[in-house]
Amino acid sequence: MHSIVVRNGTMIDGTGDPGVPMDLAIDGAKIAGLYRQSEAKGTMVIDASGFIVCPGFIDIHSHSDIHLLSNPQAHSKIHQGVTTELVGNCGGSAAPLMGSARTALAVVARELLVDLDWTSMDEYLLRLHNLRTSVNVATLVGSETVRRCVLGDGDIKPDPEQLAHMQRLVADAILQGAFGISSGLIYAPGCYASTEELVALASTSASLGGIYASHIRGEGSTLVKAVAEAITIGREAHTRVEISHHKACGTSNWGKVNETIRMIEAARSEGIDVAFDVYPYTASSTALDTILPPWAREGGKEKTLERLADGVTRDRIIKELQTKSDSWEAIAAETDWDSIVLVDFKTPENKKFENRSVLDISRELGKRPVDAALDIIVQESMQVSGIFHEINEDDVVTVIQNPLSSIGSDGCAETPYGPGCESATHPRAYGTFPRVLRHYVLEKKALSLEDAIRKMTSWPAERIGLRDRGVLAKGMAADVVVIDPKEVRDVATFDNPHRFPEGVKYVIVNGAVTIENGKHTKERAGQVIRHKAAIA
Ligand SMILES: [Zn+2]
């Protein structure tokens, strides 16, 4: 007698092979076997007639690091069929936490009612393990986090001793379980890292078997240069490279993904293992202060706010915002202020601006849009985000269709119930995986169902280095999703983001049924997955 038998479904095993009618048996936390028309008996039997049975989705680009401690049931992810999240992306991880790395996380931790009661990667992963989450979690170590631990928030070049210290922190984190390193080169102080510094840190990571995942230095006018830098880091550090949320922002850059994908393919034929991930939306989202030039963000929040308060410096910032720049992303120079929508306000006075465009807000305030944006950055003490409608749908199709892309949400495990739910958010936190199936597979026919599922399962598992997840086969972890292809769709929208998708019937995590008939069972059977360097 098996613990669970999933019967009569069409099995899509995650490898990209065509779906076949097959029954799946689970014993404990592992897949016990796959059978054609079996007589296998189970304590629980799930009738999957008319449904697809596939491996649990692996979200290769997640920012749930702190959210999972506040929302261990991982509502917005598990409802999509996500069973594993890779956190620690875009240069920022939850550990190690020293100096300004701790200060930087304190705001979001306070908001989500999380105590930052750890220092090392080991302690953070233990904290997750003891809490128990509904999804499995793996992490990267952030290069910006490590930089903050050693150098603080300034535009500083590390001396050899400081660089060696940073490399030691990277090695420690990987030896304690991180799967590699990430960078976020539009954020401060991450953006002050030179290519050489990143090569040094990525080399340390690669020597222990880790990957280098990067939110590259620019995704607009500097996109091509930024992809070239990621490839250089791959070549010089002998590391696998994952280019995060690959896209081209701003109308004058649309179409450049064709060129960058050619560059990536050329690098691969040279022997550099580069690939990328993508989310299925034409809007990005990040902190609004990323529109400021890097020099204006140097030294941390207080210094940035001082510059915005000083008339002369503020004028210089505005001037640069209005001029196209080759050295950084002058987003505002090519973005229409109507396409930047502001979300996640913290001050009660500004709550009325939630989910409205900068242009709209500026009209109500009787100010120029650039002044409205800068004033809001100051009033919100930099804790406000923008949703930037700046990506071309044809580019999303190009990136999603390429066999090298994985699907990653770039979102957090959010909840419509707890802290943070009154703020708007990017719908990707709730809709990414069902949206790929509904919009890009079933409606646009840009991908086959088997290809799409491969991009959500075995391919990201291979990129990260997860050995026993991402494929339905005997002995693999029993992370399984049962989907109704007639019903599956994302329901979260930009106007109404906190909504669960439809058609995701069952989600099984390590053999525990966590979504049953579309409802959360409150199971928390997720595991903290540590890199093999830690286990050895
Ligand atoms: Zn990013």
Side-chain angles (χ1 to χ4, degrees):
M1 181 79 88
H2 298 291
S3 27
I4 303 175
V5 173
V6 183
R7 221 186 264 298
N8 305 325
T10 298
M11 187 183 81
I12 297 182
D13 70 359
T15 62
D17 288 348
V20 285
M22 200 82 98
D23 295 349
L24 173 108
I26 295 171
D27 282 342
K30 301 268 181 218
I31 295 174
L34 302 150
Y35 316 98
R36 266 176 207 276
Q37 291 161 352
S38 71
E39 297 299 313
K41 300 237 177 337
T43 311
M44 178 181 187
V45 175
I46 294 172
D47 181 11
S49 305
F51 298 162
I52 286 154
V53 181
C54 61
F57 303 146
I58 296 170
D59 189 350
I60 192 171
H61 194 88
S62 165
H63 289 292
S64 296
D65 311 59
I66 304 297
H67 283 72
L68 282 171
L69 295 172
S70 162
N71 174 29
Q73 291 187 37
H75 294 99
S76 73
K77 295 295 179 77
I78 195 87
H79 274 275
Q80 297 183 53
V82 170
T83 53
T84 301
E85 297 202 77
L86 180 69
V87 301
N89 273 292
C90 296
S93 55
L97 276 194
M98 287 166 246
S100 86
R102 184 177 294 279
T103 329
L105 266 193
V107 182
V108 59
R110 207 175 314 121
E111 195 186 324
L112 294 170
L113 313 175
V114 171
D115 236 353
L116 296 180
D117 54 3
W118 65 87
T119 302
S120 68
M121 184 59 81
D122 183 52
E123 288 163 352
Y124 167 67
L125 294 176
L126 257 177
R127 174 90 144 74
L128 274 174
H129 170 83
N130 291 334
L131 180 66
R132 302 188 67 88
T133 52
S134 289
V135 290
N136 304 306
V137 196
T139 188
L140 302 167
V141 57
S143 63
E144 178 178 88
T145 302
V146 163
R147 196 172 215 278
R148 280 188 150 126
C149 288
V150 177
L151 304 173
D153 292 327
D155 180 1
I156 297 166
K157 184 176 157 31
D159 64 29
E161 208 171 297
Q162 288 167 324
L163 188 60
H165 186 187
M166 289 161 71
Q167 287 178 294
R168 241 176 4 255
L169 291 179
V170 167
D172 286 348
I174 293 177
L175 291 170
Q176 291 166 25
F179 279 77
I181 187 170
S182 75
S183 66
L185 305 177
I186 66 157
Y187 301 106
C191 62
Y192 307 126
S194 65
T195 308
E196 296 68 44
E197 177 181 324
L198 296 163
V199 167
L201 300 184
S203 299
T204 302
S205 155
S207 71
L208 296 165
I211 192 171
Y212 170 70
S214 183
H215 179 152
I216 57 178
R217 223 176 272 276
E219 295 178 322
S221 55
T222 58
L223 174 68
V224 171
K225 240 166 66 181
V227 168
E229 182 189 33
I231 292 170
T232 299
I233 293 167
R235 182 185 297 115
E236 293 184 5
H238 304 285
T239 183
R240 304 200 303 291
V241 178
E242 176 78 10
I243 295 177
S244 302
H245 42 62
H246 194 37
K247 57 182 171 295
C249 300
T251 44
S252 60
N253 303 305
W254 288 357
K256 283 186 182 171
V257 292
N258 294 293
E259 185 180 347
T260 55
I261 288 175
R262 276 197 300 277
M263 291 162 66
I264 291 165
E265 285 166 347
R268 289 180 70 85
S269 57
E270 194 195 313
I272 307 165
D273 184 357
V274 193
F276 44 90
D277 49 75
V278 58
Y279 50 75
Y281 293 90
T282 53
S284 64
S285 179
T286 194
L288 181 62
D289 65 81
T290 53
I291 68 170
L292 302 175
W295 63 262
R297 289 177 275 154
E298 195 273 334
K301 188 162 85 179
E302 297 314 319
K303 281 198 181 172
T304 307
L305 294 174
E306 272 169 37
R307 289 186 192 102
L308 287 168
D310 174 81
V312 176
T313 322
R314 182 180 162 115
D315 285 346
R316 190 180 148 205
I317 292 171
I318 291 177
K319 212 161 160 208
E320 289 196 24
L321 275 170
Q322 291 166 337
T323 329
K324 268 198 186 176
S325 161
D326 199 38
S327 56
W328 67 285
E329 297 277 297
I331 294 174
E334 47 182 311
T335 308
D336 154 14
W337 290 105
D338 203 21
S339 69
I340 305 179
V341 171
L342 303 188
V343 295
D344 210 6
F345 285 89
K346 303 295 184 300
T347 65
E349 313 80 71
N350 283 339
K351 277 279 173 204
K352 61 179 184 226
F353 297 136
E354 189 75 32
N355 226 350
R356 291 170 59 184
S357 77
V358 174
L359 183 68
D360 183 25
I361 297 168
S362 73
R363 282 187 180 139
E364 180 169 326
L365 294 171
K367 294 178 185 173
R368 290 185 301 174
V370 68
D371 288 314
L374 297 188
D375 289 349
I376 283 170
I377 290 173
V378 174
Q379 288 156 9
E380 296 299 316
S381 206
M382 294 170 57
Q383 301 302 314
V384 61
S385 293
I387 291 176
F388 302 79
H389 294 268
E390 56 180 357
I391 307 164
N392 181 12
E393 171 74 356
D394 290 346
D395 282 356
V396 177
V397 170
T398 301
V399 177
I400 239 171
Q401 279 184 328
N402 190 283
L404 295 172
S405 63
S406 301
I407 306 302
S409 73
D410 202 8
C412 307
E414 300 204 30
T415 166
Y417 316 117
C421 64
E422 69 293 340
S423 299
T425 188
H426 192 300
R428 63 195 181 192
Y430 286 83
T432 294
F433 293 82
R435 180 171 169 77
V436 170
L437 300 178
R438 170 57 48 189
H439 185 62
Y440 293 97
V441 173
L442 299 167
E443 288 173 1
K444 286 210 145 181
K445 307 205 184 317
L447 279 176
S448 72
L449 198 49
E450 286 84 354
D451 277 344
I453 287 170
R454 174 184 158 272
K455 288 168 180 292
M456 302 171 176
T457 57
S458 71
W459 181 235
E462 187 180 328
R463 298 303 300 161
I464 301 166
L466 300 175
R467 289 167 298 177
D468 65 344
R469 292 172 207 273
V471 175
L472 294 182
K474 188 175 174 180
M476 299 291 274
D479 292 347
V480 181
V481 183
V482 178
I483 284 175
D484 181 351
K486 297 180 293 304
E487 266 185 37
V488 68
R489 61 171 55 77
D490 56 309
V491 183
T493 60
F494 288 96
D495 289 334
N496 200 350
H498 292 280
R499 294 175 73 196
F500 296 134
E502 292 171 0
V504 180
K505 296 291 185 191
Y506 290 85
V507 181
I508 300 172
V509 182
N510 298 309
V513 178
T514 310
I515 296 288
E516 184 170 16
N517 273 318
K519 299 264 180 311
H520 204 306
T521 62
K522 300 195 164 66
E523 278 284 0
R524 281 153 63 173
Q527 294 173 1
V528 169
I529 310 171
R530 295 195 191 220
H531 184 252
K532 61 176 193 280
I535 297 157

mmCIF file of all heavy atoms in Angstrom, residues 29-30 45 109 132 135 194 204 210 213-214 238 248 279 290 298 325 351 387 460 489-490 499 533:
data_model
loop_
_atom_site.group_PDB
_atom_site.id
_atom_site.type_symbol
_atom_site.label_atom_id
_atom_site.label_comp_id
_atom_site.label_asym_id
_atom_site.label_seq_id
_atom_site.Cartn_x
_atom_site.Cartn_y
_atom_site.Cartn_z
ATOM 1 N N ALA A 29 8.270 10.568 1.494
ATOM 2 C CA ALA A 29 8.652 11.817 0.830
ATOM 3 C C ALA A 29 9.189 11.600 -0.587
ATOM 4 O O ALA A 29 9.628 12.532 -1.239
ATOM 5 C CB ALA A 29 9.698 12.534 1.675
ATOM 6 N N LYS A 30 9.149 10.325 -1.071
ATOM 7 C CA LYS A 30 9.764 10.014 -2.374
ATOM 8 C C LYS A 30 8.759 9.430 -3.365
ATOM 9 O O LYS A 30 7.749 8.843 -2.968
ATOM 10 C CB LYS A 30 10.882 8.959 -2.178
ATOM 11 C CG LYS A 30 11.967 9.390 -1.236
ATOM 12 C CD LYS A 30 13.108 10.059 -1.985
ATOM 13 C CE LYS A 30 14.199 10.474 -1.026
ATOM 14 N NZ LYS A 30 14.809 11.738 -1.361
ATOM 15 N N VAL A 45 -5.950 8.265 -2.687
ATOM 16 C CA VAL A 45 -5.955 8.156 -4.145
ATOM 17 C C VAL A 45 -6.476 9.468 -4.721
ATOM 18 O O VAL A 45 -7.516 9.973 -4.296
ATOM 19 C CB VAL A 45 -6.844 6.978 -4.604
ATOM 20 C CG1 VAL A 45 -6.938 6.954 -6.133
ATOM 21 C CG2 VAL A 45 -6.286 5.659 -4.087
ATOM 22 N N ALA A 109 12.154 43.536 7.500
ATOM 23 C CA ALA A 109 11.927 42.599 8.608
ATOM 24 C C ALA A 109 10.911 43.174 9.601
ATOM 25 O O ALA A 109 10.012 42.474 10.060
ATOM 26 C CB ALA A 109 13.249 42.297 9.308
ATOM 27 N N ARG A 132 9.674 25.533 9.656
ATOM 28 C CA ARG A 132 8.999 24.688 8.672
ATOM 29 C C ARG A 132 8.141 25.546 7.745
ATOM 30 O O ARG A 132 7.264 26.261 8.177
ATOM 31 C CB ARG A 132 8.152 23.592 9.315
ATOM 32 C CG ARG A 132 8.963 22.671 10.223
ATOM 33 C CD ARG A 132 8.128 21.494 10.688
ATOM 34 N NE ARG A 132 7.811 20.614 9.559
ATOM 35 C CZ ARG A 132 8.602 19.623 9.162
ATOM 36 N NH1 ARG A 132 9.730 19.385 9.782
ATOM 37 N NH2 ARG A 132 8.238 18.853 8.156
ATOM 38 N N VAL A 135 6.963 25.351 1.307
ATOM 39 C CA VAL A 135 7.781 25.081 0.118
ATOM 40 C C VAL A 135 9.205 24.727 0.556
ATOM 41 O O VAL A 135 9.629 25.087 1.658
ATOM 42 C CB VAL A 135 7.843 26.313 -0.822
ATOM 43 C CG1 VAL A 135 6.502 26.566 -1.492
ATOM 44 C CG2 VAL A 135 8.314 27.557 -0.082
ATOM 45 N N SER A 194 33.341 46.370 -8.986
ATOM 46 C CA SER A 194 33.942 46.302 -10.322
ATOM 47 C C SER A 194 33.812 44.882 -10.853
ATOM 48 O O SER A 194 33.518 43.942 -10.104
ATOM 49 C CB SER A 194 35.425 46.652 -10.228
ATOM 50 O OG SER A 194 36.079 45.659 -9.458
ATOM 51 N N THR A 204 35.496 32.150 -6.161
ATOM 52 C CA THR A 204 35.394 31.427 -4.891
ATOM 53 C C THR A 204 34.163 30.525 -4.907
ATOM 54 O O THR A 204 34.224 29.350 -4.543
ATOM 55 C CB THR A 204 35.279 32.432 -3.719
ATOM 56 O OG1 THR A 204 36.424 33.276 -3.750
ATOM 57 C CG2 THR A 204 35.178 31.725 -2.391
ATOM 58 N N GLY A 210 29.485 26.410 -6.941
ATOM 59 C CA GLY A 210 28.353 27.340 -6.941
ATOM 60 C C GLY A 210 28.146 28.034 -8.268
ATOM 61 O O GLY A 210 29.063 28.169 -9.082
ATOM 62 N N ALA A 213 24.550 34.055 -10.284
ATOM 63 C CA ALA A 213 23.300 34.577 -10.846
ATOM 64 C C ALA A 213 23.357 36.086 -10.771
ATOM 65 O O ALA A 213 23.716 36.642 -9.732
ATOM 66 C CB ALA A 213 22.105 34.060 -10.063
ATOM 67 N N SER A 214 22.996 36.760 -11.850
ATOM 68 C CA SER A 214 23.167 38.212 -11.841
ATOM 69 C C SER A 214 21.971 38.991 -12.364
ATOM 70 O O SER A 214 21.449 38.714 -13.442
ATOM 71 C CB SER A 214 24.399 38.590 -12.682
ATOM 72 O OG SER A 214 24.618 39.989 -12.614
ATOM 73 N N HIS A 238 35.396 31.036 -14.351
ATOM 74 C CA HIS A 238 35.074 29.629 -14.634
ATOM 75 C C HIS A 238 33.814 29.217 -13.885
ATOM 76 O O HIS A 238 33.780 28.219 -13.189
ATOM 77 C CB HIS A 238 36.243 28.704 -14.250
ATOM 78 C CG HIS A 238 37.521 29.103 -14.925
ATOM 79 N ND1 HIS A 238 37.757 28.858 -16.261
ATOM 80 C CD2 HIS A 238 38.607 29.775 -14.473
ATOM 81 C CE1 HIS A 238 38.931 29.344 -16.598
ATOM 82 N NE2 HIS A 238 39.472 29.915 -15.531
ATOM 83 N N ALA A 248 14.604 43.572 -22.131
ATOM 84 C CA ALA A 248 15.108 44.862 -22.605
ATOM 85 C C ALA A 248 14.082 45.926 -22.234
ATOM 86 O O ALA A 248 12.923 45.841 -22.636
ATOM 87 C CB ALA A 248 15.296 44.836 -24.119
ATOM 88 N N TYR A 279 10.327 36.317 -16.423
ATOM 89 C CA TYR A 279 8.956 36.276 -15.897
ATOM 90 C C TYR A 279 7.996 36.741 -16.996
ATOM 91 O O TYR A 279 8.375 37.526 -17.866
ATOM 92 C CB TYR A 279 8.787 37.067 -14.597
ATOM 93 C CG TYR A 279 9.318 38.484 -14.575
ATOM 94 C CD1 TYR A 279 8.648 39.523 -15.216
ATOM 95 C CD2 TYR A 279 10.475 38.786 -13.862
ATOM 96 C CE1 TYR A 279 9.134 40.818 -15.157
ATOM 97 C CE2 TYR A 279 10.963 40.084 -13.806
ATOM 98 C CZ TYR A 279 10.280 41.097 -14.465
ATOM 99 O OH TYR A 279 10.754 42.377 -14.417
ATOM 100 N N THR A 290 15.885 53.298 -7.442
ATOM 101 C CA THR A 290 16.837 52.831 -8.466
ATOM 102 C C THR A 290 16.849 53.772 -9.670
ATOM 103 O O THR A 290 17.721 53.651 -10.529
ATOM 104 C CB THR A 290 16.515 51.398 -8.947
ATOM 105 O OG1 THR A 290 15.146 51.360 -9.367
ATOM 106 C CG2 THR A 290 16.742 50.380 -7.857
ATOM 107 N N GLU A 298 25.154 56.795 -3.096
ATOM 108 C CA GLU A 298 26.367 56.357 -2.404
ATOM 109 C C GLU A 298 26.263 56.621 -0.906
ATOM 110 O O GLU A 298 25.738 57.654 -0.489
ATOM 111 C CB GLU A 298 27.572 57.099 -3.010
ATOM 112 C CG GLU A 298 28.918 56.527 -2.660
ATOM 113 C CD GLU A 298 29.505 57.043 -1.363
ATOM 114 O OE1 GLU A 298 29.149 58.173 -0.969
ATOM 115 O OE2 GLU A 298 30.288 56.311 -0.745
ATOM 116 N N SER A 325 22.036 58.293 -20.517
ATOM 117 C CA SER A 325 23.386 58.073 -20.026
ATOM 118 C C SER A 325 23.896 56.752 -20.556
ATOM 119 O O SER A 325 23.141 55.804 -20.696
ATOM 120 C CB SER A 325 23.359 58.033 -18.503
ATOM 121 O OG SER A 325 24.521 57.416 -18.031
ATOM 122 N N LYS A 351 -0.815 56.955 1.210
ATOM 123 C CA LYS A 351 -1.530 55.712 0.852
ATOM 124 C C LYS A 351 -2.506 55.927 -0.302
ATOM 125 O O LYS A 351 -2.764 55.022 -1.094
ATOM 126 C CB LYS A 351 -2.301 55.169 2.068
ATOM 127 C CG LYS A 351 -1.434 54.354 3.001
ATOM 128 C CD LYS A 351 -1.267 52.914 2.492
ATOM 129 C CE LYS A 351 -0.270 52.152 3.331
ATOM 130 N NZ LYS A 351 0.338 51.020 2.618
ATOM 131 N N ILE A 387 6.252 50.040 -10.325
ATOM 132 C CA ILE A 387 6.014 49.006 -11.337
ATOM 133 C C ILE A 387 6.231 49.719 -12.660
ATOM 134 O O ILE A 387 5.588 50.742 -12.941
ATOM 135 C CB ILE A 387 4.603 48.408 -11.197
ATOM 136 C CG1 ILE A 387 4.527 47.598 -9.899
ATOM 137 C CG2 ILE A 387 4.267 47.527 -12.403
ATOM 138 C CD1 ILE A 387 3.172 47.019 -9.580
ATOM 139 N N PRO A 460 15.531 24.496 -14.457
ATOM 140 C CA PRO A 460 16.042 25.249 -13.301
ATOM 141 C C PRO A 460 16.741 24.353 -12.281
ATOM 142 O O PRO A 460 17.724 24.781 -11.662
ATOM 143 C CB PRO A 460 14.796 25.921 -12.708
ATOM 144 C CG PRO A 460 13.627 25.228 -13.304
ATOM 145 C CD PRO A 460 14.078 24.726 -14.643
ATOM 146 N N ARG A 489 -5.260 29.285 -15.013
ATOM 147 C CA ARG A 489 -5.070 30.690 -15.414
ATOM 148 C C ARG A 489 -4.638 31.537 -14.214
ATOM 149 O O ARG A 489 -4.960 31.218 -13.069
ATOM 150 C CB ARG A 489 -6.324 31.290 -16.037
ATOM 151 C CG ARG A 489 -7.555 31.337 -15.142
ATOM 152 C CD ARG A 489 -8.680 32.137 -15.784
ATOM 153 N NE ARG A 489 -9.014 31.631 -17.107
ATOM 154 C CZ ARG A 489 -9.736 30.542 -17.365
ATOM 155 N NH1 ARG A 489 -10.221 29.832 -16.364
ATOM 156 N NH2 ARG A 489 -9.984 30.162 -18.586
ATOM 157 N N ASP A 490 -3.887 32.604 -14.529
ATOM 158 C CA ASP A 490 -3.550 33.584 -13.500
ATOM 159 C C ASP A 490 -4.727 34.533 -13.359
ATOM 160 O O ASP A 490 -5.364 34.892 -14.353
ATOM 161 C CB ASP A 490 -2.284 34.346 -13.879
ATOM 162 C CG ASP A 490 -2.395 35.010 -15.243
ATOM 163 O OD1 ASP A 490 -2.769 34.313 -16.213
ATOM 164 O OD2 ASP A 490 -2.140 36.231 -15.348
ATOM 165 N N ARG A 499 -4.495 37.794 -5.665
ATOM 166 C CA ARG A 499 -5.513 36.783 -5.999
ATOM 167 C C ARG A 499 -4.835 35.497 -6.472
ATOM 168 O O ARG A 499 -3.936 35.530 -7.310
ATOM 169 C CB ARG A 499 -6.443 37.319 -7.092
ATOM 170 C CG ARG A 499 -7.270 38.505 -6.602
ATOM 171 C CD ARG A 499 -8.077 39.093 -7.729
ATOM 172 N NE ARG A 499 -9.194 38.248 -8.099
ATOM 173 C CZ ARG A 499 -9.872 38.379 -9.232
ATOM 174 N NH1 ARG A 499 -9.523 39.294 -10.126
ATOM 175 N NH2 ARG A 499 -10.890 37.583 -9.499
ATOM 176 N N ALA A 533 28.201 21.073 -1.180
ATOM 177 C CA ALA A 533 29.453 21.436 -0.492
ATOM 178 C C ALA A 533 29.240 21.432 1.020
ATOM 179 O O ALA A 533 30.163 21.184 1.791
ATOM 180 C CB ALA A 533 29.938 22.808 -0.957
#
